[in-house]
Amino acid sequence: MDLQEIVQKRVDEMVEAELGLQVAVYHHGELVVDAVAGDGVTSETLYYAASTGKGASATVANVLVDRGVLDYDQPIVDIWPEFGAHGKDKATLRHVLTHSVGLPALPPDATHESFPTLPAYLAAAEPWWEPGTKMTYHAETFGLLVGEIVRRATGRSISDVLRELIAPLGIENDVFFALPSDQRDRLIPLVEPEGAEETFTMLAGMFSKVMPPAMQPRAARLNRPEQLAIEDPSSGILTARGIAKLYAGLIGEVDGVRLVRPEAVPVITGPALVAPDELLGNEATMALGYAIGRLGSTAEESPATFGWPGMGGSIAWADTRSDVAFALTRTLFDPSGSASAVEIGNLVAKTLC
């Protein structure tokens, strides 16, 4: 069997537990796996994919740097003067992309509806540390910061810039930060597994210092179109095929299109920061907006792989040595459910990487 048949067979076996799956793989710019399973699931089905969307917002920033619109080491205050409050005048896009800018926390009364006001809150906030000296995962503030930096530099929303940048790849309707009303019928509802409440409670406690309970991703809230219509560049609403093609276009050529110059790829995807995560405790190896290392392995074991997983079990990553891009989305919104992403990802990596 070829890889398409192998992956399709495995997702067919998984679907009873997973309810729905999409898997997409690009190799040397060619779609080599496009496997789906589950009632109503096609390659065009849109999924809320949580932090997997951070790969798209990071890519927007990196493309704008490559095109001279942004600079990794230019002080943010040059385009966003208010950001210099409380000694943040030397903070840069590099610090934001490596989660080391020191602004991981939302205000305790934050909601998705308050997102338009939150960049001003972050600009005025005191950082947890001098930007660049420590790091922790900026679960929600990452997208808010990148989005506002993009808006200040271009005069346009990050959603509009994303759509323009990925249109040459033909995926402008496959990767979103906010769900357009005319795309609602493509979205499949998420389903939480039975018995997951304890895990959700544990995660809420883990992130309590940075995220109020009203912001915790839960399926019932995320299935509401009005919720998904709010622009959140820390998350994504996407297809596996769309986000995999975005990564493929970042590391190489797809359909004659490259998102960045070849010489920019090692700068974007190589190690930019290695440091302990101050909140979560793990050792983090960061590229410029992505985590290095394939889920289920370490940065040392897969140093050419970069990407981002999403709470609930979605994932997208690419491997620069083998020119492979991989993505998986799922219907079961399981807060501890990365097993399918690890298994299928390892299967693909063993074959192609």
Side-chain angles (χ1 to χ4, degrees):
M1 290 190 293
D2 64 12
L3 187 59
Q4 167 69 31
E5 293 173 311
I6 292 169
V7 173
Q8 184 64 62
K9 180 176 183 294
R10 187 66 190 110
V11 299
D12 286 340
E13 293 167 348
M14 290 177 162
V15 73
E16 183 176 356
E18 296 284 341
L19 305 179
L21 285 166
Q22 293 174 328
V23 177
V25 180
Y26 279 82
H27 188 214
H28 298 311
E30 298 291 332
L31 182 65
V32 296
V33 174
D34 187 12
V36 299
D39 290 343
V41 180
T42 72
S43 299
E44 287 73 40
T45 299
L46 289 169
Y47 275 96
Y48 173 80
S51 290
T52 299
K54 287 184 172 70
S57 50
T59 297
V60 170
N62 284 308
V63 172
L64 292 179
V65 170
D66 189 58
R67 298 183 183 184
V69 179
L70 289 171
D71 185 290
Y72 294 123
D73 298 311
Q74 179 184 17
I76 295 170
V77 293
D78 286 359
I79 57 172
W80 185 0
E82 306 93 319
F83 195 80
H86 294 289
K88 301 196 301 297
D89 54 298
K90 293 183 175 61
T92 65
L93 176 60
R94 183 183 300 274
H95 298 146
V96 172
L97 292 176
T98 56
H99 296 249
S100 64
V101 72
L103 294 169
L106 295 169
D109 59 350
T111 64
H112 277 98
E113 287 75 15
S114 68
F115 265 32
T117 70
L118 295 183
Y121 168 85
L122 294 171
E126 183 175 357
W128 285 18
W129 54 74
E130 180 184 346
T133 60
K134 297 180 181 180
M135 73 81 62
T136 194
Y137 178 41
H138 286 48
E140 277 293 344
T141 59
F142 177 87
L144 289 165
L145 292 167
V146 173
E148 184 65 11
I149 289 168
V150 168
R151 190 184 73 80
R152 296 277 177 151
T154 66
R156 303 165 64 202
S157 73
I158 190 171
S159 290
D160 286 344
V161 176
L162 171 71
R163 187 175 180 86
E164 178 184 288
L165 295 181
I166 64 178
L169 291 170
I171 55 171
E172 65 271 24
N173 289 319
D174 289 297
V175 184
F176 299 102
F177 299 127
L179 181 65
S181 59
D182 63 357
Q183 302 294 326
R184 289 178 182 174
D185 61 345
R186 295 174 57 202
L187 183 76
I188 197 157
L190 300 173
V191 178
E192 291 181 5
E194 293 183 8
E197 198 61 42
E198 184 176 337
T199 304
F200 278 113
T201 300
M202 179 271 292
L203 288 171
M206 182 185 302
F207 286 97
S208 62
K209 291 183 179 180
V210 298
M211 187 186 302
M215 292 293 298
Q216 184 182 9
R218 297 298 300 264
R221 185 181 304 127
L222 296 170
N223 288 335
R224 298 202 300 263
E226 63 272 19
Q227 177 78 28
L228 293 168
I230 299 167
E231 183 179 77
D232 181 3
S234 284
S235 301
I237 301 149
L238 47 84
T239 66
R241 193 164 62 184
I243 192 69
K245 195 172 187 180
L246 181 149
Y247 272 89
L250 178 62
I251 64 172
E253 185 175 306
V254 187
D255 299 336
V257 176
R258 284 182 179 269
L259 291 177
V260 298
R261 294 167 300 138
E263 56 267 33
V265 175
V267 175
I268 293 167
T269 65
L273 178 71
V274 180
D277 187 305
E278 295 292 318
L279 185 63
L280 302 180
N282 60 291
E283 184 82 0
T285 304
M286 299 299 302
L288 290 171
Y290 321 87
I292 293 179
R294 192 175 68 254
L295 189 67
S297 70
T298 66
E300 291 76 20
E301 293 166 338
S302 49
T305 302
F306 69 101
W308 210 273
M311 178 180 170
S314 61
I315 194 166
W317 53 257
D319 186 274
T320 56
R321 289 182 184 172
S322 55
D323 197 6
V324 168
F326 169 86
L328 178 146
T329 59
R330 65 204 294 248
T331 303
L332 195 68
F333 191 68
D334 187 347
S336 60
S338 62
S340 57
V342 171
E343 179 184 341
I344 302 296
N346 285 345
L347 188 158
V348 169
K350 182 179 179 181
T351 305
L352 298 178
C353 296

